[in-house]
């Protein structure tokens, strides 16, 4: 199996016409375009459904599956490997579509997950390929399911977590695929998570302590006994991955006693720890395991671009072949049971991503499919990795994308200044990576440079960098963005007064922080599901995040102390709403369980009470971000018109991009040119 490491706990102005006009005049007088820009790329090409996505080869190596539109909705399709004439849809969803799927080890079932309108109460479904029967394996109201494991030696069952007994804790069940019946294996009494051995037994459990340290326990009979303590400083960069072949030890990522997370093996009886792979600059990010003997055979590291490294000599030719044929990003997503076929996702920044199949017997890499062939018919911009120094000498791994008219030599060195958008990632325990992004290409095509910054608190660059963001929301995490902005100005990418800020989740918070804490640094902001009040954010976290609440408290502030409350108020954009003097667009999903609608409502209401202009877009059938392509098209149509007004970029008319969308513009539609009156719901 390929283990892709993710340590992210996603919480991831005054629209004065004079200010906007002044900004536009400045843009026109300082941004000289040397060449005619490329044709506008239709938003439907960028934000509509791809032709196919999420390709997988079945574990027996005979079939393939993928997500693709059926009557405009992303559904699951299955056929013979390499034969698209044989494929047929095995689901017929008519709502938000199916976001993710995977195979049973015996290749008899397809599993997929789905929630309702973004509420994140994920249910786990199976489709029996022989009969077409679809079964909800977790048919309980207001329940979130977690898939925990399966084994090719134990066909017909899976292990899943479900929190229907107590929304805070996921109990562990064995589920029979034929009948859907479940059998309780472990009632969860306050554990953050469990690890199964290769025989699907519950063997290990983790618990977050009151000080946010992580304690690991071994199951002896019916009792759990402590065997490993992970201090808070390491808990976001240390985790147990899986058991070894004889179930006597575990493979883990471990940053204890070092900065970056190393791939290690721990013998459970003796506690002996052996480091198998490490890198001084970055954490180990993805690991490829042999499906038969459960040993790690290769890993990847990702500083600016991912690079695969073989551990097992028997895999060196395979890894060298992959690295030699891939110029961008590459993820090994799935393996056949005999390990002869690998499903590989390949990703260059300026072309459509491609799913490929690597055949280990012939050492060949062939296309499974291009995800969006229409992208290869338009002009896309290149992404460049850059390292920017923060004011306290930290390396901020960042990505700069220039519009083609400012990158004539295709070298990442601007030929002419253009307006810029700082695009801030969510989390904040996540990171920006190299590769194709529809949002980045949309912005670049409209004439904006795009800068993505891995500010402190971002993951993947060692625990010291991640931990440096603790208690720094709106402070050092924000000054990293300002330092990156100043770098871009110094490099001649843009001018200081033509930089917008935009992002979702934490990136939405950063947008609000930019317009309140530093109101003169950015020309305007686009906030997508961003928290405005850190106190209410912490008081309304989902119940299933109870085990990690203290981690958030340590990182943001403690609402149970006077000092912590003062800190949360100080770092909340809502506190400084009077400082907003630049245009602001806010977008929210009504069903968001992480950053609740109240976070956007609060700051919009405060701005309305002070007669500070703001545009507020609400989607009643979305959650933490927007999944339906119709809603994405509608939102980016509004955002494009909004940015064009304050940044003077190019704009495609909204046209029919609101068709079939649930979009409601509940306030401030008059501040966005071209908004249809039918969408206004003030």
């Amino acid at each position: 199996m390929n283990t892709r490491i993710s340590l992210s706990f996603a919480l991831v102005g005054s629209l004065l016409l004079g200010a906007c006009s002044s900004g536009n005049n400045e843009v026109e007088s300082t941004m000289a375009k040397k060449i005619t820009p490329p044709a506008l790329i239709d938003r439907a090409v960028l934000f509509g459904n791809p032709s196919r996505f999420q390709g997988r080869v079945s574990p027996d190596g005979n079939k393939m599956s993928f997500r693709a539109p059926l009557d405009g909705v992303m559904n699951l399709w299955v056929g013979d490997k390499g034969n698209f004439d044989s494929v047929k849809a095995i689901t017929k969803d008519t709502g938000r579509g199916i976001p993710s799927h995977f195979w049973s080890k015996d290749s008899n079932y397809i599993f997929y997950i789905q929630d309702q309108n973004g509420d994140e109460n994920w249910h786990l479904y199976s489709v029996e390929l022989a009969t077409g029967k679809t079964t909800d394996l977790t048919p309980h109201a207001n329940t979130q399911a977690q898939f925990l494991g399966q084994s090719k030696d134990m066909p017909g069952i899976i292990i899943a977590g479900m929190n229907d007994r107590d929304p805070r804790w996921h109990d562990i069940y064995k589920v029979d695929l034929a009948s859907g019946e479940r059998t309780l294996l472990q009632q969860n009494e306050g554990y953050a998570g469990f690890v199964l051995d290769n025989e699907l037994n519950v063997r290990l459990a983790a618990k977050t302590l009151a000080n946010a340290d992580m304690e690991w326990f071994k199951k002896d009979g019916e009792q759990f006994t402590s065997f490993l303590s992970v201090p808070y400083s390491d808990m976001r960069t240390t985790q147990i991955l899986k058991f070894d072949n004889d179930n006597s030890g575990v493979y883990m990522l471990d940053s204890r006693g070092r900065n970056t997370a190393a791939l290690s093996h721990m013998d459970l009886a003796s506690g002996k720890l052996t480091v198998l792979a490490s890198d001084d600059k970055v954490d180990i990010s993805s690991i490829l395991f042999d499906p038969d003997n459960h040993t790690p055979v290769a890993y990847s590291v990702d500083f600016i671009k991912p690079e695969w490294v073989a551990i097992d000599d028997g895999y060196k030719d395979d890894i060298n072949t992959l690295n030699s044929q891939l110029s961008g990003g590459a993820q090994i997503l799935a393996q056949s049971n005999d390990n002869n076929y690998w499903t590989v996702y390949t990703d260059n920044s300026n072309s459509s991503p491609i799913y490929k199949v690597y055949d280990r017997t012939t050492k060949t890499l062939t296309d499974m499919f291009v995800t969006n062939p229409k992208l290869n018919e338009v002009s896309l911009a290149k992404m460049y990795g850059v390292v920017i120094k923060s004011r306290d000498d930290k390396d901020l791994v960042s990505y700069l994308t220039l519009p083609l008219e400012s990158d004539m030599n295709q070298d990442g060195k601007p030929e002419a200044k253009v307006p810029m958008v700082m695009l801030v990632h969510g989390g904040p325990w996540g990171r920006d990576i190299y590769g194709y992004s529809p949002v980045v290409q949309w912005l670049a095509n409209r004439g904006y440079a795009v800068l993505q910054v891995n500010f402190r608190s971002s993951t993947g660059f060692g625990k010291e960098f991640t931990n440096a963001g603790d208690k720094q929301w709106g402070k050092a995490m924000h000054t990293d963005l300002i330092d990156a902005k100043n770098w871009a100005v110094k490099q001649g990418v843009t001018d200081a007064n033509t930089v917008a800020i935009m992002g979702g989740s934490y990136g939405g918070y950063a947008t609000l922080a930019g317009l309140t804490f530093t109101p003169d640094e950015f020309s305007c902001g686009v906030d997508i599901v961003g928290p405005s009040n850190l106190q209410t954010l912490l008081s309304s976290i989902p119940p299933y995040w109870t085990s990690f609440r203290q981690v958030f408290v340590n990182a943001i502030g403690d609402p149970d102390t006077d000092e912590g409350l003062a800190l949360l108020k100080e770092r909340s954009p809502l506190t400084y709403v009077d400082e907003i003097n630049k245009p602001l667009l806010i977008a929210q999903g009504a069903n968001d369980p992480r950053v609740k609608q109240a976070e956007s409502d609060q700051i919009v209401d405060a701005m309305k009470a002070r007669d500070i202009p703001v545009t507020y877009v609400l989607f009643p059938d979305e959650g933490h971000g927007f999944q339906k392509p119709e809603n994405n098209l509608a939102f980016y149509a509004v955002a494009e018109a909004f940015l064009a007004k304050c940044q003077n970029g190019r704009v495609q008319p909204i046209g029919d991009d609101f068709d079939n969308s649930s979009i409601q513009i509940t306030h401030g539609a008059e501040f966005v040119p071209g908004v249809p009156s039918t969408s206004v719901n003030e």
Side-chain angles (χ1 to χ4, degrees):
M1 70 179 283
N2 166 39
T3 301
R4 178 71 178 172
I5 308 306
S6 176
L7 301 180
S8 173
F9 304 104
L11 286 177
V12 88
S14 176
L15 194 77
L16 299 176
L17 296 179
C20 268
S21 293
S22 174
N24 287 344
N25 291 335
E26 291 286 342
V27 172
E28 291 169 358
S29 65
T30 60
M31 309 291 179
K33 295 182 180 179
K34 292 192 172 185
I35 61 172
T36 301
L40 285 175
I41 302 173
D42 194 292
R43 282 187 297 269
V45 172
L46 296 166
F47 299 114
N49 286 321
S51 298
R52 301 184 181 101
F53 206 74
Q54 204 182 75
R56 297 289 187 272
V57 172
S58 62
D60 64 10
N62 296 324
K63 300 285 186 180
M64 65 179 178
S65 62
F66 50 83
R67 296 166 56 226
L70 176 66
D71 298 327
V73 178
M74 293 297 278
N75 275 277
L76 298 181
W77 300 68
V78 174
D80 297 331
K81 179 167 62 70
N83 180 7
F84 285 96
D85 291 336
S86 70
V87 301
K88 63 178 182 179
I90 63 168
T91 61
K92 293 179 171 58
D93 186 72
T94 58
R96 285 161 49 85
I98 293 172
S100 181
H101 84 285
F102 56 100
W103 284 83
S104 66
K105 292 291 188 181
D106 60 10
S107 301
N108 291 331
Y109 294 86
I110 293 279
F111 302 116
Y112 67 90
I113 62 169
Q114 194 171 42
D115 70 349
Q116 296 297 315
N117 294 326
D119 65 4
E120 297 189 7
N121 283 325
W122 300 104
H123 282 220
L124 177 64
Y125 298 84
S126 67
V127 182
E128 186 177 24
L129 296 183
T131 64
K133 178 185 176 183
T134 297
T135 302
D136 184 351
L137 300 174
T138 55
H140 308 285
N142 302 314
T143 298
Q144 184 193 71
Q146 298 175 342
F147 176 84
L148 297 182
Q150 61 173 322
S151 170
K152 66 179 181 179
D153 298 323
M154 302 176 69
I157 67 167
I158 62 162
I159 309 300
M162 304 179 215
N163 65 345
D164 54 306
R165 179 186 61 85
D166 186 330
R168 298 172 299 169
W169 313 114
H170 288 74
D171 298 328
I172 311 305
Y173 292 91
K174 178 173 69 174
V175 182
D176 182 271
L177 296 180
S179 66
E181 293 182 1
R182 65 177 183 173
T183 303
L184 180 67
L185 297 182
Q186 181 67 54
Q187 184 163 302
N188 186 350
E189 302 296 346
Y191 290 102
F194 298 90
V195 179
L196 309 175
D197 66 16
N198 298 313
E199 296 175 356
L200 303 184
N201 299 307
V202 175
R203 290 281 304 279
L204 306 177
K207 181 175 289 188
T208 308
L209 304 183
N211 62 356
D213 289 356
M214 182 72 78
E215 193 78 11
W216 281 91
F217 299 82
K218 291 188 290 186
K219 188 176 184 183
D220 298 316
E222 295 302 314
Q223 302 299 314
F224 284 96
T225 58
S226 173
F227 77 98
L228 176 65
S229 296
V230 178
Y232 169 74
S233 60
D234 291 282
M235 66 87 59
R236 284 171 290 191
T237 42
T238 298
Q239 63 176 302
I240 293 175
L241 304 174
K242 71 187 310 296
F243 273 79
D244 60 19
N245 196 46
D246 61 5
N247 291 321
S248 64
V250 292
Y251 296 105
M252 59 186 299
L253 291 179
D254 192 0
S255 64
R256 294 172 303 150
R258 53 183 296 120
N259 178 33
T260 55
L263 172 62
S264 302
H265 176 269
M266 174 183 283
D267 180 82
L268 291 177
S270 66
K272 180 182 177 182
L273 195 70
T274 304
V275 175
L276 304 177
S278 63
D279 188 277
D280 290 337
K281 290 199 301 183
V282 292
D283 302 323
I284 302 297
S285 58
S286 294
I287 302 157
L288 188 70
F289 286 91
D290 186 292
D292 277 327
N293 60 30
H294 305 285
T295 58
V297 297
Y299 66 92
S300 72
V301 291
D302 190 352
F303 186 63
I304 289 179
K305 292 183 182 181
E307 177 184 356
W308 282 91
V309 181
I311 301 174
D312 188 313
D313 288 343
Y315 288 79
K316 284 188 175 179
D317 288 346
D318 300 307
I319 297 304
N320 288 338
T321 299
L322 283 180
N323 285 334
S324 67
Q325 296 189 40
L326 302 173
S327 59
Q331 299 176 39
I332 303 173
L333 300 173
Q335 300 154 265
S336 59
N337 285 335
D338 60 12
N339 212 21
N340 284 337
Y341 298 108
W342 296 352
T343 305
V344 182
Y345 177 80
T346 64
D347 190 13
N348 277 303
S349 62
N350 59 344
S351 61
S352 174
I354 303 174
Y355 283 86
K356 297 176 180 283
V357 177
Y358 177 66
D359 186 335
R360 292 188 64 227
T361 61
T362 61
K363 308 300 182 190
T364 56
L365 188 66
T366 57
D367 288 359
M368 178 186 284
F369 56 77
V370 177
T371 62
N372 190 348
K374 291 181 180 179
L375 290 174
N376 296 332
E377 301 172 3
V378 297
S379 298
L380 299 178
K382 292 177 67 175
M383 179 182 286
Y384 301 93
V386 295
V387 180
I388 301 170
K389 284 290 186 182
S390 70
R391 62 190 66 186
D392 57 350
D393 206 37
K394 284 183 168 48
D395 288 337
L396 308 177
V397 174
S398 306
Y399 298 94
L400 175 67
T401 304
L402 297 171
L404 293 177
E405 57 268 32
S406 182
D407 191 25
M408 292 173 60
N409 296 323
Q410 294 284 279
D411 58 3
K413 297 178 180 178
E415 299 290 329
K417 292 181 180 181
V418 291
M420 189 175 86
V421 175
M422 180 159 289
L423 188 62
V424 187
H425 72 68
W429 301 317
R431 63 160 293 181
D432 282 313
I433 59 174
Y434 175 87
Y436 170 77
S437 162
V439 177
V440 170
Q441 292 299 331
W442 163 67
L443 290 168
N445 180 260
R446 272 41 177 178
Y448 309 115
V450 185
L451 186 60
Q452 300 166 273
V453 182
N454 284 308
F455 47 87
R456 71 192 70 203
S457 200
S458 301
T459 54
F461 304 99
K463 68 183 181 186
E464 293 174 5
F465 191 79
T466 299
N467 294 338
D470 285 355
K471 303 293 197 301
Q472 294 301 315
W473 284 48
K475 285 294 184 182
M477 291 164 69
H478 186 64
T479 60
D480 285 346
L481 302 178
I482 301 299
D483 293 344
K485 175 204 165 182
N486 292 337
W487 172 89
V489 172
K490 186 175 180 180
Q491 295 296 314
V493 173
T494 191
D495 282 331
N497 62 340
T498 55
V499 179
I501 184 168
M502 175 177 180
S505 195
Y506 176 83
Y509 166 86
T511 297
L512 297 177
L515 268 61
T516 53
F517 301 154
T518 53
D520 297 324
E521 288 285 354
F522 298 102
S523 58
C524 56
V526 179
D527 154 36
I528 307 166
V529 298
S532 65
N533 182 339
L534 298 184
Q535 183 179 351
T536 55
L537 174 73
L538 288 178
S539 68
S540 63
I541 62 173
Y544 48 83
W545 281 5
T546 297
S547 62
F548 298 109
R549 182 181 184 276
Q550 191 60 40
V551 179
F552 296 126
V553 166
N554 280 21
I556 306 173
D558 189 349
D560 297 325
T561 68
D562 291 341
E563 180 183 5
L565 280 173
L567 179 64
L568 294 173
K569 183 177 181 180
E570 176 197 335
R571 304 294 172 80
S572 293
L574 184 64
T575 304
Y576 308 97
V577 67
D578 292 301
E579 299 297 321
I580 297 175
N581 60 28
K582 300 291 171 53
L584 175 60
L585 170 64
I586 293 176
Q588 179 70 46
N591 303 313
D592 191 339
R594 308 186 206 178
V595 179
K596 301 241 181 349
Q597 181 181 334
E599 291 299 318
S600 292
D601 288 350
Q602 288 178 80
I603 196 162
V604 170
D605 289 344
M607 294 176 71
K608 288 165 60 177
R610 293 162 173 79
D611 292 326
I612 301 174
V614 61
T615 301
Y616 186 21
V617 176
L618 182 68
F619 293 93
D621 57 351
E622 296 284 4
H624 196 64
F626 314 137
Q627 181 177 318
K628 294 182 69 172
E630 297 88 348
N631 290 339
N632 270 312
L633 282 172
F635 167 69
Y636 285 107
V638 174
E640 183 170 313
F642 172 84
L643 286 169
K645 185 174 181 182
C646 68
Q647 287 281 83
N648 206 43
R650 301 195 299 159
V651 62
Q652 173 188 347
I654 291 175
D656 60 3
D657 279 359
F658 282 17
D659 290 358
N660 301 314
S661 170
S662 67
I663 187 170
Q664 298 175 1
I665 303 182
T666 65
H667 184 75
E670 67 271 22
F671 304 121
V672 181
V675 169
S677 58
T678 54
S679 66
V680 178
N681 186 32
E682 302 209 34

